[in-house]
């Protein structure tokens, strides 16, 4: 059964109690922890609507202006199989405005900026052959279900993508995947393949499920070794998958994550900050269960789900939420940049 929109508000981001600094800790550290706690407990925002009747007049004008700009292009532009400048005599496709609104929101409804972003995305997809990547065997079957994989749905029907890079603390594994430029390029293509699976599972229609959930496991994450890969993944996703993440859940988080978050927080919008959920080691299952039913959470995170392919479809949602934003930002966790907005 397809998820449907409900009016109940999204749950507030979950946070763990932060450890008390030792008596000898510097006041600046204590201040950072206090500030971070306040930031991480910010209220959650209501999902942006894709229903035309619910949009303010300024957003509708921007949407009409973007359509007008795209209508001047002689060639047809499609992204994720959605026509973005269909011929005037073509049947209406309700997905078109959903995709256009994603680009507009990523650029705060600055029409020309959204238009430029969209054209760059279309050009990248053509050069990268993104539409063909789902059918490719890139040789990373052993990483499926471990490093990056789609698995189940949250309580609102959003598909969930899990990311865990701790396996690369093993040097042999690291060298096999990232040992040279060609291997890194193939890994990046594989990571895009996972993202494309997530996007293709979305409805991309007004009132539908139009974003995924990202769960990022920071346990045993290598320090600086993954810098190049994480930077490139961040850049690809920020530039080419706007407004595709409804919530970002960090699990097995080290204590100093909150301090780092407090440092970049002034550069983030309230909407962007509201998407974060923080779970330290020992509180992973409790946190995930607030958003995902136990039977849909992988066993390694305390859940009951063992299959990487769930066959019964997503649960009926109780509510929906998404976060407006679009900043290209990252957190540096023990020397590695971790994407926090896609």
């Amino acid at each position: 059964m397809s998820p449907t929109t409900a009016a109940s508000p999204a749950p507030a981001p979950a946070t763990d109690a932060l450890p008390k600094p030792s008596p000898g800790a510097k006041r600046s550290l204590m201040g950072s922890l206090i500030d971070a706690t306040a930031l991480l407990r910010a209220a959650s925002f209501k999902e942006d609507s894709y229903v035309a009747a619910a949009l303010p007049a300024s957003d509708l004008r921007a949407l009409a202006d973007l359509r007008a700009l795209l209508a001047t292009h002689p060639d047809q532009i499609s992204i994720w199989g959605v026509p973005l400048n269909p011929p005037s005599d073509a049947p209406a496709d309700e997905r078109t405005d959903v995709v256009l609104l994603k680009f507009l929101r990523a650029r705060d409804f600055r029409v020309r900026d959204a238009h430029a972003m969209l054209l760059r995305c279309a050009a990248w997809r053509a050069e990268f052959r993104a539409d063909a990547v789902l059918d490719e065997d890139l040789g990373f079957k052993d990483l499926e279900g471990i490093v990056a994989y789609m698995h189940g749905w949250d309580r609102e029907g959003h598909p969930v993508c899990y990311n865990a890079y701790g396996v690369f603390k093993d040097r042999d594994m690291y060298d096999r995947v990232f040992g040279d430029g060609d291997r890194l390029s193939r890994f990046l293509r594989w990571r895009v393949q996972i993202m494309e699976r997530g996007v293709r599972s979305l409805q991309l229609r007004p009132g539908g499920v139009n974003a995924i959930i990202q769960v990022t496991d920071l346990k045993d994450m290598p320090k600086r070794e993954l810098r190049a890969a994480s930077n490139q993944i961040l850049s690809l996703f920020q530039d080419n998958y706007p407004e595709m993440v409804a919530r970002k859940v960090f699990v097995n988080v080290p204590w100093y994550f909150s301090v780092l978050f407090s440092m970049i927080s002034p550069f983030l919008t309230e909407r962007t900050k509201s998407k974060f959920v923080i779970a330290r080691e020992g509180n992973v299952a409790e946190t995930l269960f607030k958003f995902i039913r136990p039977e849909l959470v992988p066993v390694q995170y305390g859940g009951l789900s063992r299959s990487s392919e769930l066959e019964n479809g997503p649960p009926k949602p109780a509510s929906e939420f998404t976060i407006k934003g679009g900043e290209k930002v990252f957190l540096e966790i023990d020397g590695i940049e971790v994407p926090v907005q896609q």
Side-chain angles (χ1 to χ4, degrees):
M1 179 168 57
S2 298
T4 57
T5 304
S8 57
T15 60
D16 300 333
L18 295 172
K20 294 182 179 180
S22 62
K26 294 182 180 180
R27 184 170 180 81
S28 60
L29 173 58
M30 182 180 296
S32 296
L33 290 172
I34 292 173
D35 291 344
T37 302
L39 291 167
L40 293 173
R41 288 177 180 168
S44 180
F45 280 84
K46 185 179 179 180
E47 181 177 6
D48 291 307
S49 178
Y50 291 92
V51 178
L55 298 176
S58 59
D59 292 2
L60 289 174
R61 285 194 299 271
L63 182 58
D65 290 344
L66 182 55
R67 286 199 215 102
L69 276 177
L70 290 169
T72 66
H73 290 268
D75 300 324
Q76 298 302 302
I77 302 173
S78 295
I79 296 179
W80 304 303
V82 178
L84 301 184
N85 61 340
S88 58
D89 57 349
D93 190 327
E94 63 179 355
R95 300 174 300 165
T96 299
D97 284 353
V98 172
V99 174
L100 296 184
L101 282 168
K102 286 182 176 294
F103 283 93
L104 284 167
R105 285 179 172 138
R107 290 298 178 263
D108 293 326
F109 285 88
R110 298 187 300 271
V111 175
R112 293 197 176 277
D113 290 347
H115 178 246
M117 181 185 186
L118 187 154
L119 294 183
R120 286 194 298 269
C121 175
W124 169 79
R125 293 185 66 82
E127 181 181 359
F128 192 83
R129 295 176 292 107
D131 288 334
V133 73
L134 284 175
D135 299 323
E136 296 178 7
D137 181 358
L138 296 168
F140 291 122
K141 293 295 185 183
D142 55 334
L143 301 185
E144 297 270 355
I146 299 174
V147 173
Y149 53 101
M150 302 301 304
H151 185 101
W153 303 266
D154 74 350
R155 294 178 184 270
E156 287 74 42
H158 300 90
V160 183
C161 180
Y162 290 85
N163 305 272
Y165 294 92
V167 65
F168 295 120
K169 68 179 181 179
D170 180 88
R171 191 68 200 184
D172 289 339
M173 175 66 80
Y174 175 86
D175 288 340
R176 184 173 69 81
V177 176
F178 301 108
D180 55 42
D182 289 341
R183 295 177 188 176
L184 174 58
S185 295
R186 190 157 52 92
F187 176 82
L188 292 174
R189 189 164 183 83
W190 175 76
R191 188 59 190 85
V192 168
Q193 184 183 69
I194 303 299
M195 187 64 175
E196 285 287 313
R197 288 177 189 168
V199 173
R200 296 306 172 97
S201 68
L202 300 176
Q203 295 172 326
L204 296 180
R205 63 175 180 80
V209 173
N210 298 314
I212 68 175
I213 302 295
Q214 288 273 4
V215 177
T216 298
D217 188 349
L218 300 183
K219 185 175 182 180
D220 295 328
M221 182 176 284
K223 295 181 179 180
R224 298 186 180 277
E225 290 85 349
L226 294 180
R227 181 182 296 272
S230 62
N231 281 346
Q232 292 190 50
I233 292 171
L234 171 62
S235 181
L236 284 176
F237 287 0
Q238 289 285 343
D239 293 343
N240 301 294
Y241 297 91
E243 296 294 316
M244 285 298 183
V245 175
R247 191 173 291 279
K248 185 78 171 181
V249 185
F250 295 96
V251 301
N252 292 314
V253 172
W255 67 268
Y256 52 83
F257 181 94
S258 297
V259 179
L260 296 172
F261 183 86
S262 70
M263 294 177 181
I264 72 160
S265 183
F267 303 99
L268 306 178
T269 66
E270 289 299 318
R271 279 192 174 276
T272 298
K273 286 184 287 189
S274 76
K275 75 184 289 185
F276 300 140
V277 178
I278 309 299
R280 294 182 61 230
E281 190 170 5
N283 258 358
V284 173
E286 177 184 356
T287 300
L288 289 178
F289 292 169
K290 293 179 181 179
F291 302 95
I292 308 169
R293 294 176 182 174
E295 64 269 24
L296 299 179
V297 173
V299 291
Q300 60 264 41
Y301 297 115
L304 304 175
S305 178
R306 296 180 179 275
S307 173
S308 61
E309 296 293 336
L310 300 174
E311 299 177 354
N312 294 326
K316 183 177 180 179
S319 63
E320 286 188 79
F321 47 86
T322 190
I323 303 304
K324 182 178 180 181
E327 301 89 345
K328 182 176 289 188
V329 296
F330 59 87
L331 296 176
E332 184 166 327
I333 306 299
D334 207 10
I336 179 171
E337 287 96 354
V338 179
V340 295
Q341 170 74 12
Q342 286 143 16

